[in-house]
C-alpha cells in the first residue's frame, strides 16, 4: 500500500485513472469552454461548499415542507452571495442554482417571467417591470398550463375581458378546468405572474395574450382578493418538491390595461386590437428553451454516469474466473454495455448542444436583421433534439440506477432523483411524442418539396427517393465518418419518403387528411425520432472534424466515443436500418463486434472520461460517486 | 344529459364502456379464479374501506416517519381483522396487505422467515419457532445481503464460528462490508432474523448456513448486546419507505447450537458437519419467489394501465380535425400505441403466471416423490420470466406515466410509485441481467446437447441448427398461433445456436472459457431475453387454446390481445427477427400494419379490459383512474 497522500484514493479508482491515455484536465477545459471558465465555475462552487446554508447533508431526508424552506434559504443566500462577490451575469446565478442542487424561489422569474417581459413587453413595460424583477422587489412566475389544458395552448380557458368603461382587464377562471396548474414557484413563492389568457373585447375573442397579474400583497404575501392560490402537492422528483408548483384561480380580478404585454400585440384604450407583426417570433423562445433542455439532459446524465462508473470501478462482485478474487464489476462486458453507450451519449449531447447553440445564435442575428428564414428549421431541430436527448438520457440514467444494484435504489445514491428530473423533462416544454409529431410535419413538408423537384431545407439536403445498401464490409470501414453519416442519412431519407408516400396514398384514396395523419402517426413518430438521432450524429461528426487545438491522444478517445454513439445506435435499432435497406444482416453483425471492440478501447478511459466532467463530491452528493472512495 | 344514477359516470367513460363487445364480469371472474374468489377478494377489500386505519387519504403526503408508523398501525389492525373475521389463509393476509397499499411490519416474517424455517428447519426447530412466528410473538426477517455482497452469495462475510466448549455459535461481522444491508422490516420492526453466515468449525469453512438470531429484546424492543441495527434511509419508492429496510452488525453474538437451521445441513455438538443431501432443493424456493414476482409485476402494471387508460378516455386535448371539439386522447393512435401493447402485456403476464404456477406445483409434487428432474428447467424459466416481466412491465408503466402528461407526474396519480416498485423488482431477488446470464448457462448447455445429437429439455425441444424464412405473406396469416409460435421459436433457436458457436469457437481457438463467456455475455443476455419472451408467447398461446367455458365474444377479444402481444413484440424488435432470418422486411411491414389493425379492434374494448381487473378506487388511490370520473 502506498503511504503518500495519494493513498487516500481507493486503489481500484487510482488504477483506472492510471490507464487513461489522455490528459483529463485538457478534456475538462474543452468541455467547460477553457481554463478560465472552468476555474470560474470552481470558484462559484467554492462559495457554496463553505457556506452552511448550502450544505447538502440532509438533502435526501428533508420532508416537503422543510425541503421548500431550504430552497428558500438557499435562494436568499445566493442573492447575498451574488452581491458580496459582484456576480452579475444571470448565467452565473443559474450556475449557482444548479450547483446548489436547489430550485430557487425566483427560478421561474429568471427563466420565464423576465425573458417573456423582455420578449413581449413594450419598451415602457420593460422599463417599469424589469428593474423590479431583476432586483427581487417582485417575484414573478409564468402561469400558462391549466388543469384541463396543457399541450393545446389554444384551448386555454382563462379569460381576460376588456372593460372599456374603466380601461381595465378582468382576468377570470370560468371553470375548474381553467384553473392554472403546474407553474413553478407559484404555490408559495411568487407575488406576480405573467398569465396567458384569452383576450375578449366587445365579446370578440382575440386569442391568447399575455397579462401581468399581481397575485399576493407585496408586504404581507397574502393572496389578493379574487385570487385562489396554493401548492399542487408531491411530485415524482423530491428536488422539484422544493419548486412549489402551484394552482391559481381568478375570480374577476381587475388589472389596468397597461398590464397586457404590448411589445408584439397591442390593445388601444378604445378597444382596438392589433395582432403581432410576426407571430413566428414566439418560436424563437421555444427553440431557446428546448436547446437549454438538451444541455440540461447532458448535465443530468453525466452526473448519473459519474456515479455509476466510479461505483463500477470500486464495487467488486463475483468471480470472472473460478478461484480469483471478486472482480471489479466494470470488468464485466454486460456492465460495460450498460454504461459506456450512455457515456458516449453524454459526450454526443454536449457536442450537439454546442452546435445547436451556434445555430441558435446565428438565427437570432438574422432575426434581428429581419430575416426569419432559419426559424422553421431551427424549431424542428431543437424540438426533435429536446425529445431525443431527454428520452435517451432518461433511459441511460435508469440503466445507471439499475447498474448500481440495491445501492443505486437508495435516494442518497442520487440516481433516483436524476432519473425523475429527466422523466419530467420528457413532459415539460412539450410532450416528446407531440414534439416528434411537430418535427414530422416539417419532415413531410420537406418530402413534398423533394417530390416536387424543389430543394429541401439544409438539414434535409440528403432527402431523396433512393436508398442504397452501404458497400462497407469491414469493422474499420464503419469507423469512417462519411460512411456513418451516409448510413443515418439514408435511413432517415427512406423512412421519411416511405411514410410520406403512405400518408399521401391514404389522402389520394379519399381519406380525410387529418384522419390519414392520425393513421400513420406512429410511423411519423418513429421517423422523427430517427431524424433527430441523425441530426445528432451529423452535428457530432462535424464537431469532431472541427475540433482544433486538441492533442492527438484526446482526439483519439473522443473519436472512439463518437464511434460508439454512432454504431451502438445502429446495433440497438438494427431493425430500422435493415428495413430501410441501408444495411444487411452481415453488416449488423460486423457493427456489433465493432461496438464490443470500442468498449474494450474505452473501458480503460471510462473513469477519466467521467472525471473530466469535473463534478465535485459536493455537486454529486452521492456516496457511490465519490472522487476518492475510501475502501471499507 | 341523463338524469338517472348512471349520470354519475363521466359520459366519455360510459361511452367507452358501451362499446365493449364482451361481458366485463365474465372476464373479471376468469381473471380472479371464479365468482366466489372474486367476491371473497371484494369482501376483504370492504373490511379495509370501512376502517379508518386503512384510509389512503394521506398516502402521498406522509413523510418517512409517519409513513412507517402508518404501516405499523395497518399491520396491527390487519391482525385484529383477521381474528375478528376468522381469516386464517396466509394468502388472504397477503391480499389484505396488497389491497391496503402498505408493507406490514411482519411482511418479511411471512414471505421469508417462516418459509425458510419451513424449508430448512428440522422438525424440532419448526415445532418450536413456527408457532411463535405465526402468532406474532416474534417478528422475523431474513438478513442475507451485505453492504459489500449482494449477487454473489458465496462472498458473504458474516461468520458463524462454532465454540465446542459452550456448544454455542458466535455470529460476527468481521468488517464494515460484512454489515447486513437491505433486509426488509429490519430497521425497526423485527426482533428476530434468519441470518445466512459462513459456518466455521475448527477453522474449517463449511460455507453459508442459516442461523436464527434474536436481535431485540422481546419486551423493550431494544437491540441486544452485540447487535447494531437501524434503518438504511430513504428509497426510490415511498411505499418501500414504510418497509423499514435495515442494516445490522454483529459483535461476537452467541446463539445456542440448535439455532442453526438443521433440516438440510447438520452440525453435531462435537462439531461434525453434514452437508445437505440435495442442495438443489434451494432452487425450488428461488423458483417460487421468482414466479410470485411475475404475478406481482402484472398486479402493478395492470393498475398503471387502469389509471392511464381511464384517464385517456376522459382527458380531451387538441383537435383531431380542425374545428372539432377537443378529442379524447385515447383517439390518437400514438396514445393507443403507448397503452394497448402494455395492456396486452398485462394479460399475457397473467396467463403466463397461471401456467408457470401449474408447472411449479407439478414440480413440487415430483420433488416430494424424490424426482428432481424438473428443477433446472423450472429454475431457468422462472428466472427468465422474472427478468422479462419486471423489465417489460417497468417500461410499460413508465410509458403510462408519460402518457398522462403532467398529471401523471404527481405522486397522487399513483404512477410514479408503481414505477418505482417495478424498478426495485428489476434488482431484488436477482439482478435481471445476472438472471439472464443464469438462463443463458441453461441455453448453452441445451445447445451442446443438440450439437451432440441428444434431446434438449422440453421447453427447448425446438432447438435446432436450421432456421427457415416464415412463408406467411398476409396479415391474417400472422394471426395463426402455429405461425406465431414458430417465429418466436425459430428466432430463439437461431440466437442460441449462433451464440453457442461463437462461444465455442473462442474456446477452441484457445481462449479461457471464463474469458470467452464474458466476451460473448452481451449476446448471451440478448438471447436469454428472447428466449424468455418466447416462453411467454408459448405459454400464452397454450393458455388461449386451453380456455374452457369462455364465451365466444370474450374469447375473440382475448385472442386479439394475445395477437397484439405477439406481433408488437416482433414489430418492436424487428432487428432480431430479421437477423435470425426468420422474417424479411416485407413481412415486418405486414406485421406492423396488423398491429395497427389490432389497435383499432382493441380500442373500443380498452376501458372494459381494465375494468375487468376489478380495481376499486380505494385500491387504485388515483384521481386519474377513478371508476366513475365526474366531469369538471
Amino acid at each position: 500500500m502506498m503511504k503518500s497522500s495519494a493513498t487516500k484514493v481507493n486503489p481500484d479508482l487510482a488504477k483506472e485513472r492510471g490507464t487513461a491515455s489522455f490528459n483529463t484536465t485538457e478534456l475538462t477545459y474543452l468541455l467547460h469552454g477553457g481554463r478560465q471558465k472552468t476555474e470560474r465555475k470552481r470558484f462559484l462552487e467554492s462559495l457554496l461548499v463553505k457556506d452552511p446554508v448550502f450544505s447538502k447533508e440532509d438533502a435526501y431526508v428533508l420532508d416537503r415542507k422543510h425541503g421548500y424552506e431550504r430552497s428558500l434559504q438557499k435562494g436568499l443566500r445566493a442573492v447575498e452571495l451574488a452581491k458580496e462577490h459582484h456576480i452579475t451575469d444571470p448565467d452565473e446565478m443559474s450556475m449557482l442554482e444548479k450547483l446548489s442542487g436547489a430550485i430557487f424561489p425566483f427560478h421561474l422569474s429568471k427563466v420565464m417571467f423576465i425573458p417573456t417581459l423582455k420578449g413581449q413587453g413594450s419598451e415602457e413595460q420593460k422599463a417599469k417591470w424589469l428593474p423590479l424583477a431583476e432586483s427581487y422587489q417582485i417575484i414573478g412566475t409564468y402561469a400558462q398550463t391549466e388543469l384541463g389544458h396543457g399541450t393545446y395552448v389554444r384551448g386555454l380557458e382563462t379569460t381576460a375581458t376588456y372593460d372599456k368603461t374603466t380601461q381595465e382587464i378582468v382576468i377570470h377562471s370560468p371553470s375548474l378546468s381553467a384553473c392554472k396548474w403546474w407553474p413553478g414557484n407559484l404555490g408559495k413563492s411568487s407575488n406576480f405572474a405573467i398569465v396567458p389568457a384569452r383576450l375578449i373585447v366587445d365579446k370578440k375573442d382575440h386569442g391568447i395574450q399575455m397579462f401581468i397579474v399581481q397575485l399576493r400583497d407585496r408586504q404581507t404575501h397574502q393572496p389578493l382578493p379574487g385570487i385562489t392560490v396554493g401548492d399542487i402537492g408531491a411530485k415524482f422528483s423530491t428536488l422539484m418538491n422544493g419548486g412549489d408548483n402551484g394552482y391559481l384561480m381568478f375570480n374577476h380580478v381587475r388589472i389596468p390595461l397597461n398590464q397586457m404585454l404590448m411589445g408584439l400585440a397591442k390593445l388601444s384604450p378604445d378597444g382596438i386590437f392589433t395582432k403581432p407583426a410576426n407571430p413566428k417570433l414566439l418560436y424563437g423562445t421555444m427553440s431557446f428553451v428546448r436547446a437549454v433542455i438538451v444541455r440540461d439532459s447532458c448535465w443530468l446524465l453525466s452526473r448519473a454516469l459519474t456515479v455509476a462508473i466510479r461505483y463500477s470501478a470500486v464495487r467488486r462482485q463475483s468471480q470472472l474466473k473460478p478461484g480469483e478474487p471478486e472482480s471489479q464489476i466494470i470488468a464485466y462486458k454486460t456492465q460495460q454495455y450498460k454504461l459506456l453507450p450512455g457515456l458516449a451519449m453524454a459526450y454526443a449531447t454536449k457536442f450537439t448542444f454546442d452546435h445547436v447553440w451556434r445555430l441558435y445564435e446565428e438565427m437570432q442575428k438574422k432575426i434581428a436583421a429581419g430575416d426569419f428564414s432559419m426559424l422553421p428549421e431551427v424549431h424542428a431541430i431543437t424540438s426533435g433534439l429536446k425529445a431525443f436527448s431527454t428520452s435517451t438520457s432518461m433511459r441511460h440514467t435508469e440503466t445507471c440506477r439499475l447498474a448500481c444494484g440495491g445501492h443505486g435504489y437508495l435516494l442518497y445514491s442520487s440516481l433516483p432523483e436524476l432519473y425523475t428530473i429527466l422523466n419530467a423533462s420528457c413532459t415539460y416544454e412539450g410532450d416528446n411524442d407531440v414534439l416528434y409529431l411537430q418535427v414530422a410535419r416539417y419532415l413531410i413538408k420537406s418530402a413534398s418539396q423533394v417530390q416536387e423537384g424543389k430543394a429541401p431545407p439544409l438539414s434535409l439536403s440528403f432527402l431523396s427517393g433512393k436508398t442504397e445498401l452501404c458497400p462497407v464490409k469491414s469493422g474499420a470501414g464503419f469507423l469512417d465518418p462519411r460512411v456513418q453519416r451516409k448510413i443515418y442519412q439514408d435511413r432517415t431519407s427512406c423512412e421519411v419518403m416511405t411514410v410520406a408516400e403512405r400518408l399521401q396514398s391514404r389522402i389520394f384514396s379519399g381519406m380525410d387528411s387529418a384522419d390519414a395523419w392520425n393513421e400513420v402517426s406512429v410511423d411519423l413518430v418513429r421517423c422523427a425520432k430517427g431524424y433527430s438521432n441523425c441530426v445528432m450524429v451529423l452535428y457530432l461528426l462535424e464537431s469532431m472534424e472541427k475540433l482544433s487545438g486538441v492533442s492527438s491522444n484526446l482526439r483519439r478517445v473522443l473519436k472512439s466515443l463518437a464511434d460508439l454513439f454512432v454504431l451502438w445506435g445502429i446495433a440497438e435499432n438494427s431493425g430500422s436500418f435493415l428495413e430501410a435497406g441501408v444495411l444487411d444482416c452481415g453488416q449488423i453483425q460486423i457493427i456489433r463486434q465493432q461496438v464490443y471492440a470500442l468498449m474494450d478501447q474505452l473501458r480503460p478511459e471510462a473513469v477519466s472520461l467521467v472525471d473530466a466532467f469535473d463534478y465535485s463530491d459536493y455537486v454529486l452528493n452521492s456516496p457511490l460517486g465519490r472522487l476518492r472512495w475510501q475502501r471499507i
Side-chain angles (χ1 to χ4, degrees), chain A:
Chain A
M1 295 291 280
M2 292 175 289
K3 295 276 179 188
S4 75
S5 73
T7 56
K8 295 283 174 65
V9 180
N10 169 295
D12 279 332
L13 265 183
K15 191 188 75 186
E16 295 293 326
R17 287 179 177 133
T19 57
S21 67
F22 67 96
N23 180 314
T24 310
T25 306
E26 182 188 0
L27 180 52
T28 297
Y29 291 167
L30 178 68
L31 292 174
H32 292 272
R35 177 178 182 155
Q36 209 179 338
K37 286 193 179 167
T38 306
E39 284 175 357
R40 181 69 180 166
K41 175 189 79 84
R42 290 176 184 165
F43 166 73
L44 293 175
E45 197 173 314
S46 73
L47 298 180
L48 305 177
V49 171
K50 59 192 173 203
D51 192 320
V53 172
F54 289 100
S55 162
K56 294 186 178 180
E57 287 231 330
D58 52 7
Y60 301 117
V61 300
L62 292 176
D63 60 21
R64 290 194 72 224
K65 181 172 177 297
H66 292 95
Y68 171 69
E69 287 174 6
R70 186 59 66 90
S71 298
L72 215 54
Q73 289 161 355
K74 288 184 182 174
L76 296 175
R77 183 71 191 121
V79 173
E80 291 170 4
L81 281 179
K83 273 187 200 156
E84 286 169 30
H85 297 276
H86 312 291
I87 299 165
T88 52
D89 181 348
D91 286 348
E92 292 199 341
M93 179 56 96
S94 296
M95 191 176 282
L96 277 180
E97 185 178 26
K98 265 187 167 181
L99 296 170
S100 79
I103 298 177
F104 290 164
F106 45 80
H107 180 83
L108 263 283
S109 193
K110 297 277 186 198
V111 303
M112 288 301 295
F113 187 82
I114 291 174
T116 308
L117 262 175
K118 284 183 176 166
Q120 301 187 47
S122 66
E123 291 309 317
E124 201 181 341
Q125 288 172 323
K126 287 190 264 191
K128 172 174 178 185
W129 296 101
L130 283 177
L132 289 171
E134 283 168 348
S135 61
Y136 308 99
Q137 293 181 68
I138 67 172
I139 306 291
T141 181
Y142 179 83
Q144 176 173 302
T145 302
E146 298 175 356
L147 198 54
H149 312 278
T151 293
Y152 188 64
V153 179
R154 278 182 286 163
L156 291 176
E157 286 182 76
T158 304
T159 52
T161 309
Y162 184 51
D163 179 350
K164 226 179 289 182
T165 58
T166 61
Q167 296 193 2
E168 286 172 322
I169 292 167
V170 184
I171 309 286
H172 185 62
S173 312
S175 69
L176 186 57
S177 56
C179 179
K180 297 293 181 185
W181 192 265
W182 262 111
N185 298 142
L186 169 64
K188 300 189 176 76
S189 308
S190 299
N191 51 13
F192 275 78
I194 287 177
V195 178
R198 321 190 70 79
L199 174 65
I200 316 266
V201 185
D202 296 331
K203 299 197 176 150
K204 183 164 161 47
D205 184 336
H206 292 290
I208 306 300
Q209 307 301 329
M210 307 281 171
F211 305 88
I212 301 175
V213 186
Q214 183 171 356
L215 308 178
R216 292 179 164 103
D217 185 275
R218 286 177 63 188
Q219 303 308 318
T220 68
H221 205 62
Q222 288 305 303
L224 295 181
I227 300 282
T228 306
V229 63
D231 186 291
I232 58 168
K235 293 162 287 278
F236 202 173
S237 150
T238 40
L239 169 65
M240 287 180 72
N241 279 331
D244 69 302
N245 303 75
Y247 63 84
L248 170 63
M249 289 195 85
F250 304 97
N251 184 8
H252 299 98
V253 173
R254 289 181 167 261
I255 59 169
L257 173 59
N258 66 8
Q259 284 179 215
M260 171 173 144
L261 291 188
M262 299 219 207
L264 304 176
K266 286 186 176 35
L267 180 64
S268 73
D270 51 352
I272 294 166
F273 175 74
T274 319
K275 276 190 200 173
N278 197 330
K280 275 193 191 160
L281 269 178
L282 299 177
Y283 287 95
T285 319
M286 282 157 76
S287 296
F288 169 81
V289 174
R290 287 171 192 172
V292 167
I293 295 175
V294 174
R295 186 192 62 193
D296 287 350
S297 74
C298 176
W299 153 260
L300 294 159
L301 171 59
S302 54
R303 279 157 67 199
L305 287 160
T306 305
V307 171
I309 288 177
R310 286 182 182 161
Y311 176 73
S312 299
V314 168
R315 173 78 169 180
R316 289 177 168 270
Q317 200 73 188
S318 301
Q319 299 163 319
L320 260 178
K321 296 186 193 182
E324 284 193 349
E326 291 193 63
S327 168
Q328 288 172 286
I329 59 176
I330 202 173
Y332 295 97
K333 299 290 168 187
T334 47
Q335 188 78 355
Q336 292 171 19
Y337 198 74
K338 283 178 187 160
L339 301 176
L340 297 179
L343 187 59
M345 170 72 191
Y347 273 89
T349 309
K350 158 69 186 162
F351 289 111
T352 298
F353 168 75
D354 288 348
H355 196 287
V356 167
W357 197 248
R358 285 190 295 270
L359 207 65
Y360 172 78
E361 288 182 328
E362 191 188 330
M363 177 184 81
Q364 289 301 93
K365 267 185 211 151
K366 286 196 177 173
I367 287 177
D371 173 0
F372 298 90
S373 61
M374 283 179 76
L375 262 174
E377 184 152 33
V378 171
H379 182 64
I381 288 172
T382 52
S383 300
L385 288 178
K386 181 273 190 187
F388 188 80
S389 68
T390 53
S391 305
T392 311
S393 298
M394 170 174 74
R395 183 65 50 250
H396 285 299
T397 298
E398 180 189 70
T399 304
C400 286
R401 135 60 205 120
L402 293 169
C404 293
H407 292 310
Y409 194 79
L410 291 163
L411 281 195
Y412 58 57
S413 74
S414 83
L415 298 170
E417 180 62 18
L418 295 170
Y419 169 84
T420 59
I421 305 173
L422 280 161
N423 183 285
S425 70
C426 293
T427 297
Y428 61 59
E429 295 299 331
D431 167 84
N432 282 355
D433 271 8
V434 172
L435 293 185
Y436 279 138
L437 286 172
Q438 289 178 9
V439 173
R441 290 239 176 250
Y442 170 79
L443 295 175
I444 294 297
K445 200 175 157 194
S446 304
S448 304
Q449 290 171 343
V450 170
Q451 288 166 332
E452 292 161 12
K454 295 181 200 156
L458 198 62
S459 78
L460 282 162
S461 54
F462 54 82
L463 267 197
S464 83
K466 294 165 296 183
T467 318
E468 6 174 281
L469 185 68
C470 169
V472 171
K473 297 283 172 206
S474 72
F478 289 111
L479 303 180
D480 183 337
R482 288 164 305 179
V483 172
Q484 296 175 342
R485 235 179 227 122
K486 185 90 171 66
I487 291 172
Y488 273 85
Q489 287 175 335
D490 278 2
R491 193 240 328 221
T492 290
S493 180
C494 172
E495 286 185 343
V496 172
M497 300 313 284
T498 304
V499 70
E501 281 160 25
R502 202 172 292 149
L503 180 65
Q504 288 153 359
S505 79
R506 279 163 203 258
I507 297 172
F508 290 154
S509 66
M511 191 183 269
D512 175 273
S513 67
D515 287 333
W517 181 264
N518 193 28
E519 285 282 323
V520 302
S521 58
V522 173
D523 295 327
L524 288 167
V525 167
R526 187 178 302 114
C527 142
K529 209 177 281 185
Y531 162 74
S532 307
N533 192 353
C534 177
V535 169
M536 227 171 129
V537 166
L538 300 182
Y539 288 3
L540 172 64
L541 296 179
E542 198 178 329
S543 302
M544 288 300 106
E545 281 157 12
K546 286 186 177 162
L547 276 183
S548 66
V550 168
S551 70
S552 60
N553 278 351
L554 178 54
R555 187 181 292 272
R556 205 184 44 246
V557 173
L558 292 176
K559 166 75 174 126
S560 295
L561 272 176
D563 288 336
L564 182 58
F565 175 75
V566 172
L567 299 187
W568 181 82
I570 298 172
E572 281 295 296
N573 300 288
S574 60
S576 72
F577 292 90
L578 291 168
E579 290 181 50
V582 179
L583 294 169
D584 66 25
C585 295
Q587 290 170 317
I588 298 289
Q589 280 310 318
I590 294 169
I591 288 171
R592 206 158 261 152
Q593 296 308 315
Q594 190 60 54
V595 166
Y596 301 152
L598 287 164
M599 296 200 318
D600 288 343
Q601 283 168 41
L602 285 167
R603 180 260 155 110
E605 321 282 354
V607 167
S608 296
L609 282 168
V610 296
D611 285 350
F613 294 128
D614 202 46
Y615 293 124
S616 65
D617 287 341
Y618 171 80
V619 168
L620 291 176
N621 201 27
S622 167
L624 302 193
R626 293 180 76 82
L627 186 66
R628 290 170 176 274
W629 257 90
Q630 299 287 354
R631 232 190 197 307
I632 49 175

